[in-house]
Amino acid sequence: MPRLLIALLLMFAALPARAVLQIDITQGTDGTLPIAVVPFGGGAPEDIAQIVSADLARSGQFNTLAPNAMPERPIDPQQVNLDAWRTVKRDYLVVGSVRPDAGNFALEFYVLDVINGKQLTAMSVTASKADLRMGAHRVADIVYEAITGVKGAFATRIAYITETGQPPMRRYSLEVADSDGYNPQSILESKEPIMSPSWSSDGRKLAYVSFESRRSSIYVQDVYSGRRELVASFPSINGSPSWAPGGGKLALTLSKDGNPEIYVLDVTTRQTTRLTNSAAIDTEASWLPDGSGVVFTSDRGGRPQTYQVGVGGGAPKRLTFDGGYNARPSVSPDGQFLATVQSCGGGFCIAVLDLKTGASRTVSKGSQDEAPSFAPNSAMLLYASGGGVLRVASVLGQANSTLSLQKGKVRDPAWGPFRQ
Amino acid sequence: MKHHKANFGLSGLKPKILAQAVIVVLLLGSGASVLAEPGATPTQHVMSEIMNRQQQMQAEMSELRDLVERQGHELEMLKRAQKETYMDTDQRIRALDAVVRPTGGTPAPAGVAPVSTPPPVAPTAPVMQPAPVAPPVQTVSADDQAKYDQGLKQLRAGQYQPAIKTFDQVIKASPPSPNRPNALYWTGEAYVVLGDLKSALHAFEQVVQDSPAHQKAADAQLKMGYIYYDQKNYARARETLNKVKAQFPGTQAATLAEQRLKRMQSEGV
């Protein structure tokens, strides 16, 4: 144990600007797929197999094997002794190597079905030195898809807000990082709060709320160029922006006509259309994946619950009935699940409702969980947990892991789309 | 909790607080500062009264909306459950058909396995009507059985006190009557109707303690949970209902216990 601690400390010292991912699978591994990702051959500045292995474990659908428990270290299929891997109860095996390729690195790898002795995939991913981690995430995506048949969502990015320091030195920062929390970059810093980032479906723009003018306003910022634009600064509240699928429109909360209601704003023409009309508070809109309407939080029934309304307006339909509180709704990109922040045991945890069967379960332990955001493949959920750390929960499996960033309190995470 | 509240909406205010804030603004706008003064004019009193009423009505509207939405949802769930029950029954009947008429030479419909299908016995639901009791395996003295039947008859007729007396004879019989758990159970139900929850609890408790394996034990424990709930002893209610779920999985009582637990959760108790 002390040795491990020292190793970890050394890692911290060597990577001062890096986030540190620590996987703590909190529940059992029943029903997960046993896999081993053998350390890649050749030389690379990053441990590719380690990144791939961590990605697969975080999905909650795989259980991985530590390198010191591996019976051999093959780097291509010819060297593999299948019986040795059957002995350590592995169903799948990933072997590969890193080869320098005109200033870049080529990651060549093979996915093997150990039980049937078959090769499922042979691929090569090329990445620059700076992009090597993203390259490894692409490898993980391909492995994930070859085995589960579902597109992987590891080579994606996340956005979130960090809060550091105490008043009057408090600073807020809008950050963008890899899906595992590594390579964080600040794209906006402010002395005043920043909230509710939302990705456009092409992954180029973020909409967010900023209090930089001492009152709430909504901005849209290009992630690459940094260019930003004020899109909503109506009297009173301007909050909770959510990009419509396909872009061009934002759903948001405005109270310009009285109390907080859901509106749709055309970003080009700046026209607003009102979707809700009630004496209660309607807020936290999030789009249905087909763009036909939004889900939102309303306390029209006395306590906050999730409702759905079409883009044409009309009578909202209530979606949540379990628990006395269901806020901050988000529909999975495949349209099957609804994630909410639900009251549980005196606190709040993340609940997932299967919209087809009506079955509901909590995927986090609480007690201060908030802001669930689905991965673009609908298989994982990112959320902020008490004290301001980011966690990832498996929607289908049982895994739950922490992305602990070194900087301040983290909140309002938003998982970006697939990269094009 | 605090942190989360701050994130409901953008305003950093909980809905109620915001609603109140809006009302305060309205009041201020209409000269509410004058209202508080002792020398306020009658018109201002009337206005203040109207404001109060409107606030009350809005709160009541919210409550009613919540109720209507919940009932609509429950109705939808019931419809779905009914359809499933119907399909299940239909499948069982077809399975039985296949068993009863094998002589016709027609093969059983594909996908139907008569052997694995449980017999179509409806689970005994713990409702107020005394359910018909299956003939006990042990020998019951004619006198004992007659007493028990008489008790049920009285219960059906709404003669609760006499029913309790009759059942008491069955309960106290020596040697112990095989009908004892049933008699205890119905005694409990009779006390519930009479509003004597303490005696009811005592009766149900005896069923659970003396005959934990009896089919009435699950129902008795469920009823105990209901009584604790009615007494607002929510911790005990939760504990008891969870026991029903754990000890009698798959029974109607377990389902009903689950439903009540859900309801408690939604009521925040």
Side-chain angles (χ1 to χ4, degrees), chain A residues 312-326:
Chain A
K317 177 178 183 248
R318 179 162 159 185
L319 298 179
T320 53
F321 295 90
D322 293 324
Y325 179 108
N326 280 286

Side-chain angles (χ1 to χ4, degrees), chain B residues 107-172:
Chain B
V112 179
V115 231
S116 62
T117 318
V121 177
T124 8
V127 283
M128 260 318 293
Q129 284 81 22
V133 177
V137 186
Q138 296 127 297
T139 44
V140 186
S141 77
D143 179 45
D144 186 72
Q145 187 62 40
K147 275 265 153 56
Y148 179 69
D149 289 344
Q150 191 197 343
L152 282 184
K153 210 188 238 168
Q154 286 166 328
L155 196 63
R156 279 197 193 98
Q159 300 164 347
Y160 300 112
Q161 285 291 6
I164 289 170
K165 283 211 180 99
T166 313
F167 283 135
D168 195 47
Q169 293 175 34
V170 180
I171 293 163
K172 295 215 171 103

Side-chain angles (χ1 to χ4, degrees), chain A residues 73-114:
Chain A
R73 302 281 179 98
I75 60 167
D76 71 61
Q78 279 76 49
Q79 300 172 356
V80 172
N81 171 8
L82 285 173
D83 283 333
W85 294 99
R86 288 178 187 132
T87 313
V88 291
K89 298 195 166 62
R90 297 293 103 183
D91 292 358
Y92 299 96
L93 187 63
V94 178
V95 297
S97 56
V98 184
R99 188 170 50 78
D101 177 16
N104 292 328
F105 293 94
L107 313 176
E108 291 174 355
F109 64 99
Y110 306 85
V111 184
L112 307 177
D113 174 340
V114 174

Side-chain angles (χ1 to χ4, degrees), chain A residues 331-388:
Chain A
V331 178
S332 62
D334 64 6
Q336 198 186 342
F337 300 105
L338 173 77
T340 58
V341 174
Q342 192 174 84
S343 56
C344 65
F348 295 96
C349 46
I350 308 300
V352 174
L353 171 71
D354 186 324
L355 292 169
K356 278 193 196 120
T357 66
S360 171
R361 74 178 185 110
T362 52
V363 296
S364 80
K365 276 194 198 154
S367 61
Q368 300 292 315
D369 300 334
E370 55 150 43
S373 171
F374 279 98
N377 69 355
S378 305
M380 286 178 281
L381 261 176
L382 179 68
Y383 63 97
S385 191

